[in-house]
Amino acid sequence: MTIIVTGGAGFIGANFIRLWVSDSDEPIVNLDRLTYSGNPENLAALTGPGHHTLVQGDIRNRDLVSALLAEHKPRAIINFAAESHVDRSITGPAEFVDTNIGGAFNLLDCTVAYLRANPESGSSFRFLQISTDEVYGSLSADEPPFSEARPFSPNSPYSASKAAADHLVNAYHHTFGLPTLVTHCSNNYGPFQFPEKLIPVVINNALNGEPIPMYGDGRNVRDWLHVDDHCHAIATVLARGRPGQRYNVGASEEISNIELARAICALLDQSPHMSDQPYVNLITSVADRPGHDRRYAIDAHKLRSELGWKPTRSFAAGLKSTVDWYLSNLEWVDRSLSRAADMAANERLRG
């Protein structure tokens, strides 16, 4: 049997594929548009013949998706493909609507058509949508963490597009009987995260002696989850999750952005890349992000109790290993940023 993964050259998708290929002989077909953050270099270490096939293409391309389904007859689709950076969704929301909503719709609709033509695959088939805790909105300091019962209340174009896709997934389950699953994860960190997100930005700016931007007062709180723990959770939900259900994935590791930046700076101060001055001096307050959610926190009790998953990494250990990975892969960071800059320049020329 085969699994189709979309967006598998991005941060979470690539880590999932690397984990899957190391643990399973089941082949993966990876459909990725290879945008600035979908980097085939993230998968360069995969050498097993036939275990991973990268197909460059768009999840919005109905003919391509239908052809891949017909050719590979997968037992599951895992949809990682999404525009995911909140800041970019504020300056350019159209791409988020097109990809995150339109792309999810196309995958769902093509899958229903495929299963109608191949009814023998229906009972065991799964469509797993990878979503985010941001669909739930913002928590105050004294509110309990998000449970699956919390109503959606997205506050950014990114989170709104993901919430809309989740509603489509639910609709296709109830209307067409598609065996769907949805996971809502907290903030991921770990290797291969494109350096536009907080942790790699802090590391990269610090090492280059540049200001480390901190939105507002820096007291916005996030619940952090190592990407390896997230990937194990995804595999668990795919194997044992109940169709039609949503599962929150989190490690209950809350920390404010300013505290996180200080912790990273302290680790860098102790590394071979130590500077003459403490890196924390580079932290610089900037104007707050519009509509910036104050706090996220995940209640993963359902996933733990029903499916037996639990995180294996403490945030302190996971953060140190992540900083160490970036320090050992500075050329990857430079190549990723150069690749993104070249793609942006080419896009401007075409425009």
Side-chain angles (χ1 to χ4, degrees):
M1 301 295 285
T2 299
I3 291 175
I4 290 180
V5 166
T6 68
F11 167 46
I12 302 175
N15 277 283
F16 176 82
I17 290 175
R18 292 165 67 94
L19 171 70
W20 187 270
V21 169
S22 70
D23 291 346
S24 172
D25 291 330
E26 189 170 26
I28 281 182
V29 176
N30 173 14
L31 175 61
D32 197 296
R33 189 156 58 104
L34 300 183
T35 61
Y36 73 96
S37 61
N39 188 347
E41 186 179 347
N42 298 347
L43 300 163
L46 301 182
T47 57
H51 293 336
H52 170 251
T53 302
L54 176 60
V55 177
Q56 184 172 0
D58 196 322
I59 60 172
R60 295 170 290 186
N61 184 332
R62 188 176 187 88
D63 290 342
L64 175 58
V65 171
S66 297
L68 289 175
L69 287 165
E71 177 183 357
H72 296 285
K73 294 182 167 45
R75 71 172 181 91
I77 291 178
I78 307 177
N79 182 28
F80 293 95
E83 297 289 340
S84 65
H85 191 41
V86 174
D87 286 358
R88 289 177 183 263
S89 82
I90 294 170
T91 58
E95 184 68 20
F96 286 72
V97 172
D98 289 346
T99 297
N100 297 358
I101 303 175
F105 161 72
N106 190 55
L107 289 173
L108 290 162
D109 213 47
C110 289
T111 302
V112 167
Y114 163 74
L115 291 177
R116 284 174 177 166
N118 300 270
E120 70 280 0
S121 302
S123 61
S124 60
F125 188 91
R126 296 292 183 268
F127 184 106
L128 174 48
Q129 171 77 0
I130 308 303
S131 189
T132 171
D133 58 357
E134 296 189 40
V135 300
Y136 296 122
S138 183
L139 289 167
S140 64
D142 57 353
E143 282 187 279
F146 301 128
S147 74
E148 290 84 356
R150 184 180 175 98
F152 287 0
S153 183
N155 291 317
S156 71
Y158 161 65
S159 57
S161 69
K162 293 296 288 185
D166 295 345
H167 283 309
L168 278 172
V169 171
N170 184 62
Y172 268 71
H173 172 71
H174 286 281
T175 303
F176 302 110
L178 185 62
T180 62
L181 300 156
V182 180
T183 56
H184 298 280
C185 68
S186 57
N187 279 42
N188 277 218
Y189 69 100
F192 299 105
Q193 189 170 34
F194 183 77
E196 67 181 354
K197 299 297 180 74
L198 179 58
I199 290 176
V201 162
V202 172
I203 297 169
N204 196 51
N205 283 34
L207 294 181
N208 288 313
E210 298 174 357
I212 298 169
M214 184 60 53
Y215 283 130
D217 62 5
R219 301 296 174 186
N220 302 76
V221 172
R222 298 295 180 258
D223 187 349
W224 290 91
L225 172 70
H226 193 278
V227 68
D228 285 353
D229 282 330
H230 184 200
C231 291
H232 282 289
I234 292 166
T236 299
V237 171
L238 181 65
R240 301 197 294 275
R242 291 182 291 133
Q245 294 296 303
R246 297 188 283 132
Y247 296 90
N248 286 350
V249 189
S252 299
E253 296 276 13
E254 293 184 57
I255 186 172
S256 71
N257 291 345
I258 187 69
E259 291 171 315
L260 173 57
R262 289 169 178 164
I264 295 170
C265 289
L267 289 171
L268 293 175
D269 286 338
Q270 300 163 19
S271 77
H273 296 266
M274 67 177 66
S275 175
D276 293 338
Q277 296 293 323
Y279 283 114
V280 71
N281 293 346
L282 293 171
I283 297 175
T284 304
S285 180
V286 298
D288 206 356
R289 167 192 289 164
H292 198 178
D293 290 338
R294 193 62 172 173
R295 172 177 169 246
Y296 303 142
I298 279 284
D299 177 355
H301 175 77
K302 179 178 177 180
L303 179 59
R304 290 172 181 249
S305 61
E306 287 191 11
L307 305 186
W309 172 88
K310 62 180 180 181
T312 61
R313 297 200 186 209
S314 71
F315 184 62
L319 183 63
K320 184 178 187 309
S321 69
T322 298
V323 171
D324 288 345
W325 185 88
Y326 279 97
L327 293 179
S328 299
N329 290 273
L330 295 176
E331 291 183 356
W332 175 89
V333 174
D334 290 340
R335 288 192 300 270
S336 296
L337 290 170
S338 295
R339 177 177 176 271
D342 290 344
M343 294 178 74
N346 290 335
E347 185 65 30
R348 286 193 296 270
L349 288 174
R350 286 195 298 268

